[in-house]
Amino acid sequence: MASSTAAAGAAQSYTYTRPSGLDGGLLGLSTSGGTTSGGPRAHPHFFSGVLTRPAPAAAALLGLADVARTRYFQPRPSAFRDPVVTCNGDRLRMESFSACGGVYARLDVLEAAMDGEVHDRGTTNVDVNGPLREALAHVGGSDPLHLAVGADELAVTTMDGAVVEKKVPLPDRWLRGFAEVQVLTAGFDPRGELAAADAVRFLRSMPRAPRGALWAVPAGRTLRLTSRPSPGAVCLAGPDRLRTMLPLLRFATALRVYGPTAGAQSGPVSSVWELELPGMRYVLTLSPGHGRGFSGEGAVLDALSTDEAAADADLIGALLSFEPRVEPDLLAERSGLTPARTKAALTQLGTSGRVGFDTAEAAYFHRELPYDPARVADLNPRLRAARALVEAGAVRLASGDTAVVLSNEQERRVRFMEGHATCTCPWWYDHRGERGPCKHVLAAGIVRREGAAAARHAGAAGAEAAR
């Protein structure tokens, strides 16, 4: 692929045939290396046609670009990081992360806002530069806006070598964030919906200065902000991070919010805020705090540590074809796996960024990030530490559902309960499982699963021998 990521902390390299631009009503988004339904392509060509609602589309794309260059916990502009664009056939999805890794933004341009030809399905990066941002800011409601995502092969070969190369820092937390967000949000439910006028009043009334976590509580037709969590409330950590939605309010038809299962929250958690636009959705997912990126949430760690799900993910991944909605029941039927194993495999695919999750449709969608997916597991220090403990023989399974892990010459006791585990280490006492399992729980879980698998194998062998 033309895009490649080097070692951790290195720059992401993008190669484009020319800069993206807006000229004469044509919005040309240049593509870098990516994956299509036919395999890797240096400069894929996904779509050409008309955006039927040009003004909200331009404003939302500008908002997406602004998120990508913002550090919310330490406000200052940073280098451009080019959005990831996936063509799923009936829609285009454009995704980016804030420079600090604590805000995930996505623009879904749906079929109702597109009129043109889909040339291929797949995922790539698109060039977003300063002049393009300035041009997008001047797109009016009556201006026609033709869109080309990539150029056809003939155009690519006749550009007289007008190649654009960009290298920008790609923090590990940015890459890991893609893996964390879909695993976290897959368990979210709709928590509230505001009509256009109520959405405008609510978003414009938010505090301007960064603050700690607030909670949004349904109150009639709107949401009321409080300083304490309560049953049914949705966490709004850093309300100023929603300000990128303000320029879009004149186009909005509704605001929806999604969060974890209803109940009193003991502390700040993530939330999803979705602004419905004509034929489009602009989505922001917020981490639990300004200085808290998604990379440290640890939601993917359990899935990354299971071998069975990893093997099943290889099978399920081979059956995906950039669908806008992944149907687990159909995948289970085609793969021969049980529904439970299919769901676990999709979670595993989410950990490497090969599927995203759309809270509006409560469904996964297929994409292939233009980065090396193997890096995601390597970028999780807790998982690396857990595997090192297992290899060192530091885990001893005790009676019942407990294990003892020797770490740094101290014994940590892990107790497994239905759906979760606890540990006696400082990490667990500090976070109480809210930022994923500690290395001791992960190590004990690996050994516990290996023991259960060995027991099943021995039982099957004994039964076969007795026949």
Side-chain angles (χ1 to χ4, degrees), residues 63-326:
L64 195 79
D66 286 343
V67 169
R69 66 193 300 261
T70 302
R71 299 178 187 273
Y72 289 93
F73 74 94
Q74 191 179 17
R76 70 176 187 272
S78 65
F80 288 109
R81 291 179 175 84
D82 293 338
V84 172
V85 176
T86 299
C87 180
N88 289 124
D90 68 343
R91 69 195 67 186
L92 291 169
R93 300 184 190 269
M94 306 182 185
E95 303 173 271
S96 68
F97 262 92
S98 61
C100 58
V103 178
Y104 164 76
R106 192 180 76 241
L107 170 63
D108 293 342
V109 182
L110 307 175
E111 192 170 20
M114 300 164 54
D115 184 10
E117 182 179 358
V118 174
H119 300 280
D120 205 344
R121 299 186 183 202
T123 308
T124 185
N125 289 107
V126 294
D127 172 49
V128 173
N129 51 64
L132 175 62
R133 293 178 70 254
E134 294 178 9
L136 288 171
H138 294 93
V139 173
S142 60
D143 297 338
L145 190 60
H146 297 263
L147 173 66
V149 183
D152 58 40
E153 292 298 323
L154 179 62
V156 169
T157 58
T158 57
M159 285 183 177
D160 300 324
V163 173
V164 176
E165 293 187 354
K166 296 164 62 175
K167 288 187 177 182
V168 298
L170 185 70
D172 292 341
R173 61 181 179 276
W174 208 80
L175 177 57
R176 288 163 60 188
F178 271 109
E180 294 283 348
V181 164
Q182 52 260 26
V183 177
L184 282 168
T185 58
F188 284 8
D189 297 324
R191 308 300 313 145
E193 179 173 347
L194 278 61
D198 299 313
V200 169
R201 283 191 289 269
F202 172 74
L203 289 173
R204 286 181 175 168
S205 68
M206 292 184 306
R208 287 181 173 270
R211 294 178 55 178
L214 299 175
W215 276 262
V217 182
R221 297 185 309 175
T222 187
L223 296 171
R224 178 173 54 87
L225 292 179
T226 70
S227 59
R228 295 180 179 275
S230 62
V234 177
C235 182
L236 176 51
D240 58 295
R241 295 188 292 175
L242 291 183
R243 298 192 65 80
T244 182
M245 288 184 168
L246 294 181
L248 303 175
L249 290 179
R250 59 195 174 109
F251 309 112
T253 57
L255 174 68
R256 300 184 183 91
V257 58
Y258 304 81
T261 303
Q265 302 294 334
S266 60
V269 293
S270 299
S271 57
V272 176
W273 299 79
E274 171 197 305
L275 200 62
E276 183 179 294
L277 307 171
M280 290 166 274
R281 292 191 291 258
Y282 183 76
V283 182
L284 294 178
T285 302
L286 306 183
S287 71
H290 269 87
R292 186 165 161 180
F294 283 104
S295 62
E297 293 305 290
V300 305
L301 293 174
D302 281 324
L304 285 173
S305 65
T306 60
D307 294 331
E308 182 183 67
D312 290 346
D314 290 338
L315 173 58
I316 294 296
L319 298 175
L320 297 178
S321 185
F322 294 101
E323 298 91 340
R325 288 176 56 93
V326 174

Side-chain angles (χ1 to χ4, degrees), residues 346-430:
L346 286 171
T347 300
Q348 177 82 19
L349 289 169
T351 66
S352 59
R354 296 190 61 194
V355 296
F357 191 80
D358 186 344
T359 50
E361 300 186 5
Y364 288 100
F365 61 89
H366 180 209
R367 59 136 137 79
E368 298 281 345
L369 290 179
Y371 317 118
D372 180 5
R375 290 189 68 216
V376 178
D378 293 338
L379 294 177
N380 282 283
R382 270 181 275 167
L383 184 57
R384 291 200 306 270
R387 287 174 173 162
L389 289 171
V390 173
E391 292 174 3
V395 180
R396 173 172 54 85
L397 296 179
S399 59
D401 292 324
T402 61
V404 178
V405 182
L406 182 62
S407 175
N408 297 325
E409 300 183 351
Q410 294 187 9
E411 289 189 346
R412 305 299 185 187
R413 186 168 294 271
V414 175
R415 183 184 177 191
F416 292 95
M417 292 170 280
E418 186 174 352
H420 68 286
T422 63
C423 184
T424 57
C425 72
W427 170 271
W428 192 89
Y429 278 110
D430 286 344

Side-chain angles (χ1 to χ4, degrees), residues 321-347:
S321 185
F322 294 101
E323 298 91 340
R325 288 176 56 93
V326 174
E327 302 292 346
D329 291 343
L330 179 60
L331 285 176
E333 181 181 341
R334 293 176 62 191
S335 65
L337 299 176
T338 64
R341 287 179 63 181
T342 300
K343 183 178 179 180
L346 286 171
T347 300

